Amino acid sequence: MRALRITLIVVVVLGGLFVAADRLAVHFAEGEVADKLRTTENLATTPDVSIHGFPFLTQVVGGELDDVEVGIEDYEATAGENGTTIRIDDLTANMKGVEFSGDYSSATAHSATGTATIAYDELLKTARSEPAEVAPGITAKVVGLSDGGNGRIKVAVEATAFGTRLPKPVSVLSTVTAEGDTVRVKAEALPSIGGVEVGEDQIREITDFEQRIDELPGGIQLDEVRAASDGVLITVRGSDVRLAG
């Protein structure tokens, strides 16, 4: 019995040491991957990296991590060909099957899915902010975006008729879709401006707009978009996604 107790104590102690070593190793690896990702993507701050699955050390021996989660608080994505950018908030990506080099200088995930948000004030920069003529003597511009409910965006249009600004913006409910690397906002129904019916082409020049989003981290791509309370919620996905190197 005494020998059995000693054996059990040794097993428990060794198990505890293994768990401690495993957690220390995963903490080190998370820091290394985060630093490499910050450098690779030229991020302003170090991202959060969480390596899931236990034990970690056996995954290291196999050269592939089962599940890695990456969180980037603010990401400046390229928005078209003129060098402009758009801020992507709270980007979280879940990476599966991450192969890595021994020094973590390179890491590539077989697949990735995730979510992020484009705030309404950020997307508003894409809409027409300068007045444009929609009918003789009447100009209009977009002055606000907000959640319209049921996955739609409410677009607020301010109008001026013959030099006098109308007292209240006109609201338009719009759908938001993702087509390739572009987010598109399109009015469902067209409003009258100051009681005047305007041409569809003219008013859509105001209400409808799009935002291209290029070069998301690691080569992930836009998948779906929908309006939410704080902005447009986007989902992303990709394969052979590069975390570092």
Side-chain angles (χ1 to χ4, degrees), residues 33-48:
V33 173
D35 289 340
K36 297 294 185 183
L37 183 57
R38 178 177 181 175
T39 301
T40 300
E41 297 295 339
N42 194 28
L43 302 177
T45 59
T46 303
D48 293 326

Side-chain angles (χ1 to χ4, degrees), residues 159-181:
T160 299
F162 304 101
T164 302
R165 189 175 67 186
L166 300 184
K168 186 178 180 181
V170 175
S171 294
V172 181
L173 289 178
S174 301
T175 57
V176 55
T177 57
E179 298 179 23
D181 60 3

Side-chain angles (χ1 to χ4, degrees), residues 152-157 170-176 185-193 197-208:
R152 297 176 296 179
I153 295 177
K154 182 162 66 175
V155 180
V157 179
V170 175
S171 294
V172 181
L173 289 178
S174 301
T175 57
V176 55
V185 178
K186 183 176 182 180
E188 294 181 340
L190 300 176
S192 63
I193 303 294
E197 296 293 335
V198 297
E200 178 172 349
D201 291 342
Q202 288 81 2
I203 192 61
R204 285 200 180 278
E205 285 290 325
I206 306 297
T207 60
D208 299 0

